[in-house]
């Protein structure tokens, strides 16, 4: 039987990619960046009231264990030895807020998802307390005061959930974004779990000073958040702790990046001015601005892009965030029932090739960049008796492209150097009609890597490159060349402003 054994592939690196709609575990060859195997589980979203979006933190954790076990089984079937997995990286939906009990290990409430709007009144009352001539929240965090970020979600939990208040009073509460909840649980939980986060996730809480790279006392006082419940902030690439259970027990967790930063790394956007757009539940366009914070005059966020090692410099990015992209397809599937699977949207759109004057603004969670208007709501207009579900499907895809166009225009105005092409990734990029529409609406080529799992790849790169692991080189000459698919604009852009 020995002859059937595969050649040793060299060191492998795993990545947990915990997104809003699904969890994945993927395993890469650290020398070639080739994806060897993966497993995916869809995550339930709960909508207890209008505008509220919650998830069960335990379901998220169980999905991670399930994806790890199933992927390891698949590797076994491929005769790949899982003892070659030398490190694990974590990438996660950002801003989603979890508070749990460090003594029992139980969540004290459902995770409040980044899309959630229940904090609108919290935001309104807080914004009245910010002096007009000194927006210290924006200058310290790079973020506008919005329902999007963790601090206001945490404030709501402290104001409205007795179990959370009591745990804070009794010094039992821990707060974190999903990365912190997972790393704490995977490294032992109540038995010595590591309570940490990385700079990219910390920079989305609204409690973190992106200049000093520390939790900010003034911000914590402003939001009324006790600092002792916050995780320790680390770089995006270092050993945080070891897996304490499951098939990969003993393997170090050594990479951690918010999903959009992970995609920036996975797309190899290491040079100033390089940008990528990820099409997931929402749409997120990030542009690397190097070692300096660039503040936007056009409604974009300033955020930490990555810090790939304890002694490595920090990189910043400008970010345009769109709340609803892939989520509109899920809505057409689950709420309207006009498609049974997300893939069908392409077929419907192809049938008509136009929205026939139908426009769709999917502002289900208000509008994010560049408007920051939480009270906006979705609209479908331009309907006639001729309109059918195919036109609505096409309008939904156009909506994603138009939102990206607005962000790209803002990015070009802030940076002063228009992007010559757009690098893209994420689940929706498998839709060829969407990609061609995007190129046509932007009037620049859209470039997609043949391996679209760049978020997981970025987390794997950070984990494999960490000090003490050292199986992944981030030197430009060692990074594998990526094969790309290009979509050229087919509309004549003459006469267009």
């Amino acid at each position: 039987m020995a002859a059937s054994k595969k050649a040793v592939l060299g060191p492998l690196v795993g990545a947990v990619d915990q997104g809003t709609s699904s969890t994945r575990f993927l395993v890469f060859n650290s020398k070639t960046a080739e994806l060897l195997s993966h497993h995916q589980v869809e995550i339930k979203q709960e909508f207890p009231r209008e505008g509220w979006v919650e998830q069960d933190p335990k379901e998220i954790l169980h999905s991670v264990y399930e994806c790890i076990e199933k992927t390891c089984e698949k590797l076994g079937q491929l005769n790949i030895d899982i003892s070659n997995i030398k490190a694990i990286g974590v990438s996660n939906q950002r801003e989603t807020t979890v508070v749990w009990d460090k003594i029992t290990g139980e969540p004290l409430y459902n995770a409040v998802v980044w899309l959630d709007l229940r904090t609108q009144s919290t935001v309104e009352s807080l914004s009245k307390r910010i002096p007009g001539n000194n927006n210290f929240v924006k200058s310290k965090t790079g973020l506008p005061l919005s329902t999007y970020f963790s601090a206001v979600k945490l404030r709501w939990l402290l104001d409205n959930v007795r179990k959370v208040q009591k745990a804070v009073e009794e010094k039992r509460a821990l707060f974190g974004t999903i990365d912190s909840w997972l790393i704490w649980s995977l490294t032992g939980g109540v038995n010595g779990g590591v309570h940490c986060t990385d700079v990219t996730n910390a920079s989305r809480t609204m409690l973190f000073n992106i200049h000093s790279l520390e939790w900010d006392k003034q911000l914590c006082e402003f939001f009324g958040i006790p600092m002792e419940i916050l995780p320790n902030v680390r770089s995006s690439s270092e050993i945080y702790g070891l897996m304490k259970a499951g098939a990969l027990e003993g393997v170090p967790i050594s990479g951690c990046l918010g999903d959009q930063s992970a995609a920036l790394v996975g797309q190899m956007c290491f040079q100033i001015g390089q940008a990528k757009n990820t099409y997931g539940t929402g749409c997120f366009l990030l542009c690397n601005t190097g070692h300096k914070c660039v503040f936007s005059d056009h409604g974009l966020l300033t955020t930490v892009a990555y810090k790939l090692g304890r002694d490595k410099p920090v990189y910043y990015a400008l970010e345009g965030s769109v709340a609803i992209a892939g989520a509109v397809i899920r809505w057409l599937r689950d709420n309207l029932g006009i498609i049974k699977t997300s893939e069908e949207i392409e077929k419907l759109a192809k049938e008509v090739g136009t929205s026939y004057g139908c426009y769709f603004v999917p502002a289900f969670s208000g509008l994010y960049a560049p408007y920051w208007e939480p009270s906006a709501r979705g609209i479908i207009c331009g309907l006639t008796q001729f309109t059918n579900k195919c036109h609505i499907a096409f309008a939904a895809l156009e909506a994603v492209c138009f939102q990206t166009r607005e962000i790209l225009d803002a990015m070009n105005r802030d940076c002063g150097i228009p992007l010559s092409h757009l690098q893209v990734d994420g689940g929706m990029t498998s839709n060829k009609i969407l990609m061609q529409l995007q190129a046509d609406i932007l009037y620049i080529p859209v470039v997609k890597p043949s391996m679209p799992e760049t978020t997981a790849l970025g987390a794997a790169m950070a984990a494999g490159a960490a000090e003490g692991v050292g199986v992944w080189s981030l030197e430009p000459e060692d990074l594998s060349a990526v094969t790309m698919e290009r979509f050229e604009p087919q509309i004549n852009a003459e006469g267009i402003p």
Side-chain angles (χ1 to χ4, degrees), residues 52-68:
W52 292 31
V53 191
E54 297 181 0
Q55 290 177 330
D56 177 353
K58 291 178 81 170
E59 184 197 342
I60 290 175
L61 179 60
H62 291 151
S63 72
V64 169
Y65 278 121
E66 183 184 340
C67 289
I68 290 174

Side-chain angles (χ1 to χ4, degrees), residues 248-309:
L248 298 179
E249 192 175 339
V251 177
I253 299 175
S254 53
C256 178
L257 290 151
D259 51 9
Q260 303 313 322
S261 286
L264 194 74
V265 171
Q267 286 265 33
M268 325 279 176
C269 295
F270 294 126
Q271 306 295 315
I272 294 177
Q274 283 186 302
K276 66 88 208 168
N277 195 27
T278 299
Y279 297 76
T281 298
C283 243
F284 301 90
L285 179 57
L286 269 71
C287 180
N288 188 333
T289 62
H291 302 312
K292 68 171 195 282
C293 293
V294 175
F295 282 88
S296 171
D297 297 322
H298 301 98
L300 304 180
L301 311 177
T302 306
T303 199
V304 175
Y306 52 82
K307 183 182 191 305
L308 295 173

Side-chain angles (χ1 to χ4, degrees), residues 401-418:
C401 299
F402 284 133
Q403 291 182 106
T404 298
R405 167 71 197 254
E406 285 194 298
I407 286 178
L408 195 79
D409 288 348
M411 192 84 69
N412 287 340
R413 287 200 292 271
D414 275 328
C415 294
I417 307 164

Side-chain angles (χ1 to χ4, degrees), residues 44-56 109-113 115-118 156-157 161:
K44 279 201 285 296
Q45 292 179 25
E46 296 169 30
F47 306 99
R49 295 192 199 172
E50 191 206 341
W52 292 31
V53 191
E54 297 181 0
Q55 290 177 330
D56 177 353
Y109 191 81
N110 270 347
V112 180
V113 178
L115 284 165
D116 187 281
L117 286 177
R118 76 187 66 186
W156 186 92
L157 290 168
V161 182

Side-chain angles (χ1 to χ4, degrees), residues 164-178:
V164 172
Q165 295 163 353
K166 202 163 175 313
V168 168
E169 286 159 16
E170 294 171 5
K171 308 268 189 265
R172 290 183 284 113
L174 296 178
F175 151 80
T177 39
I178 296 292

